[in-house]
Structure formats: structure tokens, C-alpha cells
Amino acid sequence: MILDAKIPAGPLAEKWSTHKFNLKLVNPANKRKYDIIVVGTGLAGGAAAASLAELGYNVKAYCFQDSPRRAHSIAAQGGINAAKNYRNDGDSVYRLFYDTIKGGDYRAREGNVYRLAEVSVNIIDQCVAQGVPFAREYGGLLDNRSFGGAQVSRTFYARGQTGQQLLLGAYSALNRQINAGKVKMYTRTEMLDVVIVDGKAQGIVTRNLETGKVETHTGHAVLLCTGGYGNVFYLSTNAMGCNITAAWRAHKRGAFFGNPCYTQIHPTCIPVTGDHQSKLTLMSESLRNDGRVWAPKTVELAQKLRKGELKVTDLKEEDRDYFLERKYPSFGNLVPRDVASRNGKEMVDDGRGVGTTGVAVFLDFADAIKRLGEDAVRAKYGNLFDMYYQITNEDPYKQPMRIYPAVHYTMGGLWVDYNLMTNVEGLYALGEANFSDHGANRLGASALMQGLADGYFVIPYTVGDYLAKIGPKPVDANHPAFEQTKKDVEERIKKLLALKGNKTVDEYHRELGHIMWEYCGMARTEEGLKKAKGLIQNLRADFWKNAIVLGENEELNQSLEKAGRVADFLELGELMVDDALMRNESCGGHFRVESQTPEGEALRDDDHFAFVAAWQYKGDNQPEELHKEELVFENVHLTQRSYK
Ligand SMILES: Cc1cc2nc3c(=O)[nH]c(=O)nc-3n(C[C@H](O)[C@H](O)[C@H](O)COP(=O)(O)OP(=O)(O)OC[C@H]3O[C@@H](n4cnc5c(N)ncnc54)[C@H](O)[C@@H]3O)c2cc1C
């Protein structure tokens, strides 16, 4: 099968404008004849639902939390990129495009990435108009800072709470439309399946999380804005509720899954302390603007620190190895995440890790405090420092933070074309739920940019083209596909509730997480991945025999909710492993030990792997079929990534 990404022809900088002109329009009077389902009201979904309603469509929006404000997007700390060039430091749309393609290790589409960079400037204007309180300089202009993989300052931020402020902006736009009657909001409602009628997505099946009621909903198009699946690793920086269910059920109904193995491991998280943990905490990448990453120069010094025989503040300057600055003088502490993470791990593998577990390196602000003063550092990063203090009981103003890489983001997701449509007609995926723009590694502050680009500036144009083509005829709610899909969902719920074994769902989740982290985490080998595949298959079989799910359907039942999500993770995990095994090259967040340069950097194999892997579900316990979308590079030259 040939996957058509529908990238418009013509010069890179004109593709999106030309495409917008060529897209069909729906006239204002007809817009109100269409219903659009938006699943997920984080930044991508909230922006999409508000914008589509503003255009005049009838929107039905869903989230599993009690309010759209609780979407995982609220946790985003550091900032959002945009090629405004306010700093006059050499930024441009082309440079943001180039940095993003290079940062993604040349595994993303040129056309998509250029469009992302192009609309990034509109996002900031949109958010400012909504009242988002971006940080400002003394003179009143919007301030910027730097993030990894860039040598310019293009990141807009609202202290350490950028996601929260952006989400409040999108939420107020959404609320306006709820109030106007153009969006019907379903909270505490989980989508459990998508309804396909004659090859087109025409509805969803949901479960009301308070009453257990299973219902069908119709729509002319279905937009999945359901976030990422980092929680397949159990421990991650994602919100506890993040899951794969919506995308996975769509995958099982025919939507291809793109690059499932591309996972982002963020270098600066608070290290794991033991088995009691269910969540990890991010220390924003913005901290690498002023914080310096280091490890002790020798194993002996590291041992002394671990045993408490030496205090970190007593370690002499010449005994510290600022390894990122040493190895990558051009980018220093601001190398991209994949590079920083691998180097942190290398220190620990070398025996130079710190903290009681020995699985951490330092992020140090002593120099910044000396240079700028404690008040200036507090003004920039105060809430992040407080968070670190509350969790570790160590004062980062007085001693360096301990950090270690943790799972943070998933670049993989549902395969979509340039219009954000999956290979199933009328089924779209936006935000972290799609695979589209970050290649094998996402640059910091680019997820918020992509989610909002998709929701505010891409989907409002592209969905209209599809709707105009299918026409406003009402969707037939009595089509047998609705009843059948609902029955399938009910049967699955019954099957889960019938599990009365002796092992909790959490235990299975934790075990899956261990397998994924060990064999499909920061470094992957053929041998390890093959082992992981067997382990996951066994774990899944065991789950369906020995798991215990408490309670009933007709009540608030978190045991049941969790069981459904973990069951999906147990299937997704195997696909991630298959994808990682197939991709016998290193690229970005996917590091195959067999494929590295003599200096230990990721070694791509462009001759064989310059493609998007799109996997097709073929039935339970059947191998999935791989389809390849070849990546065409007409504007950038593929080189070995270097941040030296
Ligand atoms: C700690 C942390 C900090 C971050 N900081 C930054 C940053 O500074 N800059 C940056 O660019 N990126 C950052 N990111 C990444 C960024 O926050 C996310 O990628 C982005 O917010 C995802 O937005 P989204 O709208 O795609 O999904 P989400 O915000 O995850 O929203 C998903 C929505 O889908 C709903 N949903 C999911 N499944 C279902 C279902 N089955 N049925 C019904 N509803 C469902 C949820 O209820 C929710 O409304 C950070 C990530 C983390 C973990």
C-alpha cells in the first residue's frame, strides 16, 4: 500500500498558502449543518473545539477529567517556541524549520515542519489576544529564553507555568462557545471506540465515568486530541491519567500507527528513589539556560559523594566534569534532549552517578546565582525551585539539583497526512496524539507549539475540505455499525469486570513499565528487544488470567478504568518493541546500541530507514503489517547531526 501524505507540490515556503487556497470551503450557512466530534480538550483539542465552533460548526467535545482545565497540558512548564525573532538574534521561520528537522534527526516531513514554523508566529498573537500573561521584559515587550537544539532565544513563557496559562486561554475560548451553545461539553466521559460507517469515521462510543452508561455519539468527522502514551513506561513525567486508549482503539479499527517506538526521554527530571513511586517530576528544560550539568570527574569522588563522605559543595572546580560543555562546546548545556539524556546515562554507567542510588547527575545554579543574584534566579525559576525543594527537601539555591532522564513525551502516534487526517476517512489526530512533526526527537517547547498549531490554525482549514466533499447529510445514528460497536465495548467491559485473579492492574502496569524501560528505553539492542517481546506477550496473557478488577460498571470505578487502559498499553508495548526492532538504526530518541559512531553518537542509516513506519493492525495476537512512507528531503541536506 502506498501511503499518500498529501504534501502539496511547489516551493516549501508556499506549500501551505497554496494548499489553503486549493482546499474546498463550507459556506457559513452550511457550517451549522455539520457536527464535529472532538475527543480531548487539552491544548490541541481545546483549541480545535473553540476554533471550529467559532467558525460555526456544531462541536461535541469530550474529556475524561471533570474539567478541560485538568488536561495534562496544564503541566507544561518551560515555554512555547515561535519564530518571531523579537531578539533580533538571527531567528527566522526557516531557522525554526531547520532546527526542528535537524533536531528530529531527519525523520520528519519537510512540508509539515515548515508549516509548523510558519504558523508559530500566529500562535503567540492569538494567545496574547486571549490574555495569556507571557513573561515580559522591563520595557513591556514579550520576553524569550532558549531551549535545547537552538542557538537563538525563541521560547515564549509564563514563568514555569506556560502550559497552564495557555490552557486557560484555550479554555476561556472554549467556554465562550459552550456558553454560546456551539460546543456541547461532555466531561467525565471516556471514549472507548470509534464508529466506522462505510470506511468513514462517523461517531464514537463513550462510557460515562460516573454512571457507567455506555452511549453512541454521531459526527461528520471525529478528531482525536487525546495526548501521548508515555505512561506505557509506568513511570513518566506525564499526568497519571495519560493513556493510549482512544488512539489504540482507533488503531484497531484501521488507523495506522506511526513510529510507535519514538519516545522522548527528558534529561532533567527528579531521579527515581524507589519502588513506591508512581510518578516522576520534570525539572523544566528552561533550567538549562542557566544551570550547568556536571558529574564528578572520577569514580572515587562519586563514591565519596554517594556515601556522604564528601559534600557536593566542597567538591573543587577542577574535580567537576561539565560533560555537555566539554563535549558540545557550540550548544553546551542546551544540546537537544536525546543527546543530553544519553550523556547523563553514560556518566551513571561509568560509575560517576551521584545521590544515594547513584543514578543521577547534577544541575548546578551556583554560577548563575553568582552572576545574576539569587533574586534574579528566583524571579525566573522560583516555582521550579520550590517544587524541587518540596519533593527532595534539598535547597537548590544552596546545592545543585540532582537530575536524571525520564520518559516525557511520545513522538509516535496515529499516522496522519498533511491535513491531519488518518488513513481512515473523517478520522483526524491532533497534538501529541499524532506522529506528525517531531521526527525521532522533539525539541523543547515545540509540543505546545504543535498542539496549538494543529488546533487553532491547521484543522479549521483542512476539516472543511473533507466536510465540503461529503456534504451535510445528517449521520444515520441507526446504522448497525453504531449498535455493533457499542456491543463490542460492553462486552469488553464485561470481560474486564470478570477478572477476579489475585494481581492488581497496577502491578501489571509496573511490570510492563520495567520491561519497556529496560529494553525499549534509552538504549535498545536486538537481543533485548526480542526478549522484551516475549516478556510482554507472557505478561499480557497473564493479565487476562490473573488480574483482579474490582467493582461494577454502574458506578465510579477507577479499577475498571485503569484495567482498560493497561490492557491497551500491554498491546501497544509490543508494537513499540516491534517498531524498535525493525528500525535497525539509531535516530533521535531511538538509540540502537548496534548503530553508533566511534564517539558513541547516534548513527542513522538514511539509505534504509529514511521513512515513517506506519503499522496496520491485523487482528489480536497477529503480527502487524508495516507500511513505509518514504521521507523526501528537497530543502535540507541530510548530515550526521552535530552539536559540537
Ligand atoms: C511535565 C511536562 C512538562 C512539559 N512542558 C512542556 C513545555 O514547556 N513546552 C512544550 O512545548 N511542551 C511541554 N510538554 C509537552 C506538552 O505538555 C504536551 O505534549 C501537550 O500538552 C499535549 O497536549 P495535547 O492537547 O495533545 O494532549 P493533553 O493535554 O494530554 O490532552 C489530552 C486530552 O484528551 C483527553 N482524553 C484522552 N483520552 C481520552 C479518552 N479515551 N476519552 C476522552 N477523553 C480523552 C483528556 O481528557 C485530555 O482532555 C510537557 C510535558 C510534561 C509531561
Side-chain angles (χ1 to χ4, degrees):
M1 172 177 189
I2 296 176
L3 279 173
D4 184 3
K6 303 205 174 83
I7 312 276
L12 188 62
E14 288 166 29
K15 282 183 194 293
W16 179 228
S17 312
T18 316
H19 189 62
K20 279 192 289 186
F21 181 73
N22 290 332
L23 289 170
K24 282 191 185 310
L25 298 174
V26 179
N27 90 48
N30 278 346
K31 286 200 176 93
R32 68 180 84 100
K33 296 179 187 157
Y34 290 97
D35 296 332
I36 301 179
I37 287 176
V38 179
V39 187
T41 45
L43 279 177
S51 306
L52 294 169
E54 187 79 45
L55 281 171
Y57 297 110
N58 307 311
V59 175
K60 302 175 185 174
Y62 304 78
C63 72
F64 63 75
Q65 292 95 343
D66 59 346
S67 158
R69 280 171 311 169
R70 296 206 205 290
H72 159 67
S73 290
I74 202 110
Q77 300 172 349
I80 174 167
N81 288 329
K84 286 280 201 188
N85 195 28
Y86 281 174
R87 284 292 177 97
N88 203 20
D89 56 359
D91 202 9
S92 62
V93 167
Y94 194 86
R95 189 175 294 281
L96 175 52
F97 152 75
Y98 179 80
D99 287 349
T100 309
I101 284 276
K102 176 183 168 192
D105 222 351
Y106 306 95
R107 290 292 174 264
R109 293 179 190 142
E110 283 189 342
N112 280 58
V113 176
Y114 192 89
R115 174 178 64 189
L116 177 64
E118 191 179 337
V119 303
S120 70
V121 294
N122 306 118
I123 295 172
I124 302 303
D125 298 343
Q126 165 90 352
C127 297
V128 168
Q130 286 171 344
V132 171
F134 284 120
R136 288 177 187 266
E137 292 173 330
Y138 182 73
L141 299 175
L142 297 187
D143 195 14
N144 289 135
R145 54 191 180 194
S146 303
F147 264 56
Q151 288 175 310
V152 295
S153 289
R154 62 161 75 98
T155 305
F156 294 77
Y157 65 101
R159 224 185 189 198
Q161 294 151 352
T162 315
Q164 181 191 44
Q165 297 306 325
L166 292 173
L167 189 60
L168 291 176
Y171 175 66
S172 57
L174 179 64
N175 256 345
R176 179 169 176 271
Q177 296 302 330
I178 294 172
N179 193 42
K182 291 304 291 178
V183 174
K184 177 149 176 48
M185 185 71 224
Y186 297 81
T187 57
R188 306 295 281 137
T189 304
E190 184 168 27
M191 172 201 147
L192 293 178
D193 219 330
V194 55
V195 183
I196 315 274
V197 178
D198 301 330
K200 293 187 178 63
Q202 300 235 305
I204 58 171
V205 178
T206 61
R207 177 172 177 273
N208 180 314
L209 296 181
E210 280 163 2
T211 63
K213 190 165 180 207
V214 176
E215 284 177 308
T216 57
H217 306 256
T218 57
H220 292 87
V222 176
L223 278 49
L224 299 185
C225 315
T226 44
Y229 51 88
N231 280 350
V232 67
F233 289 84
Y234 186 69
L235 284 183
S236 88
T237 63
N238 287 191
M240 294 293 287
C242 291
N243 69 86
I244 190 59
T245 290
W248 192 251
R249 306 285 167 94
H251 175 57
K252 291 177 88 165
R253 294 279 174 199
F256 292 179
F257 209 107
N259 298 330
C261 83
Y262 287 169
T263 309
Q264 176 155 91
I265 313 238
H266 197 297
T268 59
C269 303
I270 300 182
V272 177
T273 53
D275 266 354
H276 59 283
Q277 272 176 287
S278 52
K279 172 91 186 71
L280 294 177
T281 307
L282 174 76
M283 287 287 103
S284 166
E285 180 158 312
S286 60
L287 294 169
R288 284 197 276 146
N289 271 268
D290 289 304
R292 300 178 71 193
V293 180
W294 64 274
K297 262 204 182 133
T298 64
V299 175
E300 293 70 39
L301 285 168
Q303 275 167 348
K304 281 193 177 165
L305 281 172
R306 291 203 289 268
K307 287 185 192 150
E309 293 166 9
L310 185 66
K311 270 184 20 201
V312 54
T313 41
D314 291 340
L315 209 70
K316 294 198 210 81
E317 194 58 28
E318 59 267 28
D319 289 333
R320 301 171 178 211
D321 178 10
Y322 296 92
F323 52 91
L324 294 179
E325 295 172 32
R326 171 172 56 82
K327 287 176 74 175
Y328 310 98
S330 306
F331 283 70
N333 293 296
L334 283 172
V335 289
R337 292 173 178 180
D338 55 331
V339 178
S341 291
R342 272 198 296 279
N343 277 278
K345 179 178 185 294
E346 209 175 288
M347 291 297 124
V348 168
D349 292 349
D350 250 21
R352 293 200 272 150
V354 297
T356 46
T357 59
V359 186
V361 294
F362 290 124
L363 177 64
D364 199 339
F365 288 85
D367 277 357
I369 291 173
K370 215 181 289 164
R371 185 166 34 94
L372 306 167
E374 194 172 312
D375 286 348
V377 170
R378 180 170 282 113
K380 271 185 169 173
Y381 310 115
N383 70 309
L384 300 170
F385 277 43
D386 288 350
M387 200 158 77
Y388 182 83
Y389 177 68
Q390 278 160 19
I391 292 173
T392 63
N393 202 28
E394 290 167 11
D395 182 353
Y397 293 100
K398 299 214 164 61
Q399 66 184 81
M401 292 181 178
R402 287 171 298 105
I403 50 153
Y404 197 64
V407 171
H408 178 65
Y409 180 89
T410 41
M411 280 76 70
L414 290 179
W415 182 90
V416 289
D417 64 17
Y418 190 71
N419 295 321
L420 305 182
M421 199 198 279
T422 68
N423 57 303
V424 175
E425 275 192 76
L427 181 67
Y428 293 78
L430 282 65
E432 196 174 336
N434 71 28
F435 89 103
S436 69
D437 292 359
H438 309 292
N441 173 60
R442 172 175 72 77
L443 291 184
S446 286
L448 302 181
M449 172 173 72
Q450 182 228 327
L452 291 180
D454 288 359
Y456 285 134
F457 295 109
V458 179
I459 200 72
Y461 292 91
T462 59
V463 80
D465 184 64
Y466 170 72
L467 296 175
K469 282 177 191 155
I470 62 166
K473 201 170 110 214
V475 174
D476 176 12
N478 295 318
H479 190 284
F482 282 91
E483 199 43 44
Q484 183 56 49
T485 315
K486 184 170 174 241
K487 222 166 110 202
D488 292 346
V489 166
E490 285 165 342
E491 267 163 24
R492 189 181 163 86
I493 291 172
K494 270 196 209 126
K495 201 171 151 197
L496 286 167
L497 284 169
L499 290 173
K500 294 293 173 228
N502 51 17
K503 208 164 144 184
T504 66
V505 167
D506 261 339
E507 285 174 87
Y508 284 100
H509 194 181
R510 193 182 293 127
E511 263 177 61
L512 174 67
H514 276 308
I515 299 170
M516 297 303 293
W517 179 250
E518 187 64 29
Y519 302 109
C520 197
M522 253 190 292
R524 302 146 182 204
T525 64
E526 181 180 346
E527 196 192 343
L529 288 163
K530 284 185 173 156
K531 183 168 175 197
K533 189 169 164 71
L535 290 173
I536 296 171
Q537 286 172 343
N538 292 343
L539 190 66
R540 194 168 59 230
D542 196 69
F543 173 92
W544 286 107
K545 251 198 253 152
N546 296 319
I548 177 160
V549 180
L550 303 168
E552 307 294 329
N553 178 52
E554 288 72 28
E555 60 180 352
L556 177 68
N557 185 342
Q558 292 192 318
S559 174
L560 174 64
E561 287 168 33
K562 176 106 210 209
R565 293 171 192 171
V566 170
D568 291 337
F569 277 143
L570 282 163
E571 294 179 5
L572 166 76
E574 189 179 345
L575 182 64
M576 290 171 73
V577 164
D578 283 341
D579 188 44
L581 195 55
M582 172 282 298
R583 193 167 280 279
N584 192 8
E585 66 159 352
S586 292
C587 57
H590 169 64
F591 188 73
R592 278 290 292 266
V593 174
E594 299 92 341
S595 179
Q596 50 181 308
T597 65
E599 300 89 48
E601 303 288 349
L603 182 63
R604 290 196 325 267
D605 176 356
D606 295 331
D607 289 341
H608 299 102
F609 291 99
F611 61 80
V612 173
W615 295 90
Q616 182 180 11
Y617 177 78
K618 298 297 251 185
D620 283 346
N621 298 315
Q622 299 299 314
E624 298 218 358
E625 187 178 342
L626 172 65
H627 302 274
K628 296 178 184 175
E629 179 203 328
E630 296 298 334
L631 289 165
V632 181
F633 294 94
E634 291 167 335
N635 299 276
V636 297
H637 177 60
L638 275 66
T639 55
Q640 186 63 36
R641 233 165 24 132
S642 169
Y643 292 94
K644 300 199 172 191

